[in-house]
Amino acid sequence: MSISNKISDSSVRRISIYLRILERMEKNGDETVSSEELSDHSGTTAAQVRKDLSSFGSFGKRGLGYGVSELALCIRKIIGVDRSWRVALVGVGRIGSALVDWGGFLDRGYDIVAILDVDPSKIGQKWSGLTVCDMDDFEDVVREQGVELIILAVPVEAVSDVVDRIADVGIRGILNFAPTTLRVPEGITVKDVNMVMELEALSFTLNQQKLKE
Amino acid sequence: MSISNKISDSSVRRISIYLRILERMEKNGDETVSSEELSDHSGTTAAQVRKDLSSFGSFGKRGLGYGVSELALCIRKIIGVDRSWRVALVGVGRIGSALVDWGGFLDRGYDIVAILDVDPSKIGQKWSGLTVCDMDDFEDVVREQGVELIILAVPVEAVSDVVDRIADVGIRGILNFAPTTLRVPEGITVKDVNMVMELEALSFTLNQQKLKE
C-alpha cells in the first residue's frame, strides 16, 4: 500500500466521514459508490473525494465508481480500525466517568481496558466492569494490559506529571480532554477534545457578528 | 473595544486556555501575570501570548504584566461568557443523554433550556429537570425559550432536515456531534466535536509511524 507522507488532519477527518457513509451503504446492500455520492453526503466536492482517495492508492474504476466494501476495508486498514486498540482512561472525574458510561468508543474498536485515578475514594471501585486502579501503579497497568492509547481526563494541574509518565512508559497517542495544550516529546501525538471550548469559539463568533451589526 | 477582524480559530482556542489559567490565578489570589507565565501554562510562547492579547487592545503594562482580574474580565467579554447563553439539545440518544447528565456546560454559562427528540418513547420524559419536547414543536420551543445555540446530537440521516429548520428559525450557532460535515447557509457557524474521529486520527498517525519503522 503506497501512502503519501503528507496527509492533512482535515483529509483524515474527511476519510473518517467517508467510512461512515460507506458503512451505511454496506448495511443498505449498495455495492458501488461514485465520488459524487461520497461528496454529497460529506459536504465536500467530488474532486476532493477523488484527491483524498487517490493519496491512498487507486481503487476507483472510471465510470464504475468505487466498490463499497473494498473501499471501506481499505479505509479501515489505513485508519487502523481493522483491529482493536487497547486504551486506558486516566482520570474518572465528571468527564471521565461520562466517557466510561457512554461506551461509544468500543463500537469503533477502541477498547477501554484500564481506568486509573489518584483519588483513594475512587480506587478499587467498579466502573463498567473495570476496577479503578491507583495511578501509582500506572506503569505496571500499562504493561500488563498492553495499553496503546491514553484518554486523558485529569485536572489541568495534574497534566504535566501524567504526560511525563505516559511518555516514559512508551505510549505514543493521547486523546486529551484537559482544557490545556499538552507539551509532549517528539513522537507522541495528541488530539484535543474540549466541548466547552468549542462552545466558547461559537459564542465568540456570534459576539463578533453582533459587534459588526 | 477594538477587535481585529481576523482572529484565527487557534487564537480563540489559546484565549480560552488563558482564561482558564487566569481563573485559577484569581482563586489563588494572584494579582498580576506576565506573558511568560501565561505561555508557560498554555504551551505557547510569550511572544504569541502578547500577540494574541494585543489583537484585543492593549492592557499589558511593560515590566508589570497584566492585571489578572482585568484581563479575565476582558476575555470573558470577548468570548461572550460574561453572560449566559440559552442552548437547546437536539437528540437524546447515547451521546445527547451523556451530555445532559454531564452538566459541564452550565459551569461556563451555557444553559441547556430545552431538549428535543423525535422518538415518542423519549418525548415527555424528564432529563435533568427538563421535559423532552417533540421535534415537531421545535420552532415554538426555540421562540418560547429564546434559544440562541443548538447542540446537535442526532443520527447522520436526520442532520440535513434539522439543519434546515435551525437555519429557518434564525439560530446562528451549532455545536455538532454528528459524524458528518454540516452544510449550512452563510451566517451560521458550526463547531464539530467527535471524540471517536479524534481517536481515529490518532490511530491513523500511529499506523503511519509503524509503516515507516
Side-chain angles (χ1 to χ4, degrees), chain B residues 27-93:
Chain B
K27 270 192 201 157
N28 291 343
D30 299 327
E31 291 184 2
T32 59
V33 60
S34 65
S35 46
E36 284 75 18
E37 284 173 285
L38 281 174
S39 69
D40 265 356
H41 291 94
S42 59
T44 184
T45 64
Q48 183 66 62
V49 170
R50 285 191 293 269
K51 196 179 160 206
D52 287 334
L53 297 180
S54 70
S55 65
F56 301 120
S58 57
F59 8 63
K61 286 165 199 138
R62 188 169 292 274
L64 289 174
Y66 304 92
V68 168
S69 299
E70 186 192 354
L71 186 53
L73 187 68
C74 180
I75 292 182
R76 278 191 208 103
K77 276 188 190 164
I78 289 164
I79 301 180
V81 291
D82 57 330
R83 66 169 187 96
S84 67
W85 291 80
R86 298 180 73 78
V87 181
L89 171 70
V90 178
V92 272

Side-chain angles (χ1 to χ4, degrees), chain B residues 1-185:
Chain B
M1 201 185 304
S2 91
I3 298 182
S4 152
N5 273 332
K6 295 203 179 175
I7 295 167
S8 69
D9 277 3
S10 54
S11 171
V12 175
R13 186 180 153 76
R14 282 193 302 272
I15 287 161
S16 285
I17 291 176
Y18 302 154
L19 179 57
R20 283 165 175 74
I21 298 167
L22 292 166
E23 287 175 343
R24 287 206 301 280
M25 297 185 82
E26 274 185 316
K27 270 192 201 157
N28 291 343
D30 299 327
E31 291 184 2
T32 59
V33 60
S34 65
S35 46
E36 284 75 18
E37 284 173 285
L38 281 174
S39 69
D40 265 356
H41 291 94
S42 59
T44 184
T45 64
Q48 183 66 62
V49 170
R50 285 191 293 269
K51 196 179 160 206
D52 287 334
L53 297 180
S54 70
S55 65
F56 301 120
S58 57
F59 8 63
K61 286 165 199 138
R62 188 169 292 274
L64 289 174
Y66 304 92
V68 168
S69 299
E70 186 192 354
L71 186 53
L73 187 68
C74 180
I75 292 182
R76 278 191 208 103
K77 276 188 190 164
I78 289 164
I79 301 180
V81 291
D82 57 330
R83 66 169 187 96
S84 67
W85 291 80
R86 298 180 73 78
V87 181
L89 171 70
V90 178
V92 272
R94 204 156 59 166
I95 185 93
S97 53
L99 290 173
V100 177
D101 289 340
W102 178 46
F105 294 120
L106 188 57
D107 295 346
R108 301 302 297 188
Y110 299 99
D111 193 3
I112 299 181
V113 296
I115 304 177
L116 299 111
D117 205 291
V118 292
D119 181 348
S121 74
K122 286 173 186 161
I123 295 164
Q125 279 192 5
K126 282 266 182 191
W127 282 84
S128 292
L130 291 169
T131 305
V132 178
C133 296
D134 189 336
M135 224 11 227
D136 283 348
D137 304 324
F138 175 68
E139 291 75 10
D140 291 339
V141 170
V142 164
R143 285 188 202 108
E144 278 161 23
Q145 293 296 331
V147 170
E148 300 162 288
L149 296 171
I150 298 286
I151 296 177
L152 189 63
V154 301
V156 170
E157 296 77 16
V159 159
S160 69
D161 279 349
V162 177
V163 166
D164 288 345
R165 293 175 69 184
I166 291 170
D168 288 345
V169 81
I171 288 174
R172 303 202 300 191
I174 302 174
L175 186 67
N176 174 43
F177 286 84
T180 187
T181 305
L182 303 193
R183 287 165 195 258
V184 294

Side-chain angles (χ1 to χ4, degrees), chain A residues 1 3-5 7-9 12-17 19-20 24 39-44 56 76-83 85 87 94-95 98-99 101-105 107-108 110 148-151 156-157 172-183 187-213, chain B residues 1 3-5 7-9 12-17 19-20 24 39-44 56 76-83 85 87 94-95 98-99 101-105 107-108 110 148-151 156-157 172-183 187-213:
Chain A
M1 201 184 303
I3 298 182
S4 151
N5 272 330
I7 294 167
S8 68
D9 277 1
V12 175
R13 186 179 154 76
R14 281 193 303 272
I15 287 161
S16 285
I17 291 177
L19 179 57
R20 282 162 177 77
R24 286 206 301 280
S39 70
D40 265 356
H41 292 94
S42 59
T44 184
F56 300 121
R76 278 191 207 102
K77 274 188 190 163
I78 290 163
I79 301 180
V81 291
D82 57 330
R83 66 169 187 99
W85 290 81
V87 181
R94 205 157 57 167
I95 186 91
L99 290 174
D101 290 338
W102 176 48
F105 293 121
D107 295 348
R108 302 300 298 188
Y110 299 99
E148 299 162 289
L149 296 171
I150 298 286
I151 298 178
V156 170
E157 296 77 15
R172 302 201 299 190
I174 303 174
L175 185 68
N176 173 42
F177 285 85
T180 186
T181 306
L182 303 193
R183 288 164 195 258
I188 296 185
T189 307
V190 179
K191 297 286 168 188
D192 295 299
V193 177
N194 198 299
M195 300 168 274
V196 176
M197 278 164 66
E198 296 294 340
L199 267 177
E200 291 182 0
L202 263 188
S203 54
F204 167 80
T205 308
L206 300 192
N207 246 3
Q208 298 295 93
Q209 289 174 348
K210 270 190 196 156
L211 289 174
K212 279 183 208 161
E213 283 168 6
Chain B
M1 201 185 304
I3 298 182
S4 152
N5 273 332
I7 295 167
S8 69
D9 277 3
V12 175
R13 186 180 153 76
R14 282 193 302 272
I15 287 161
S16 285
I17 291 176
L19 179 57
R20 283 165 175 74
R24 287 206 301 280
S39 69
D40 265 356
H41 291 94
S42 59
T44 184
F56 301 120
R76 278 191 208 103
K77 276 188 190 164
I78 289 164
I79 301 180
V81 291
D82 57 330
R83 66 169 187 96
W85 291 80
V87 181
R94 204 156 59 166
I95 185 93
L99 290 173
D101 289 340
W102 178 46
F105 294 120
D107 295 346
R108 301 302 297 188
Y110 299 99
E148 300 162 288
L149 296 171
I150 298 286
I151 296 177
V156 170
E157 296 77 16
R172 303 202 300 191
I174 302 174
L175 186 67
N176 174 43
F177 286 84
T180 187
T181 305
L182 303 193
R183 287 165 195 258
I188 297 186
T189 307
V190 179
K191 296 286 167 188
D192 295 300
V193 177
N194 198 298
M195 297 169 276
V196 176
M197 278 164 67
E198 296 295 339
L199 268 177
E200 290 183 359
L202 264 187
S203 54
F204 167 81
T205 308
L206 300 193
N207 247 2
Q208 298 295 93
Q209 288 173 350
K210 269 189 197 156
L211 289 174
K212 280 185 208 159
E213 281 168 8

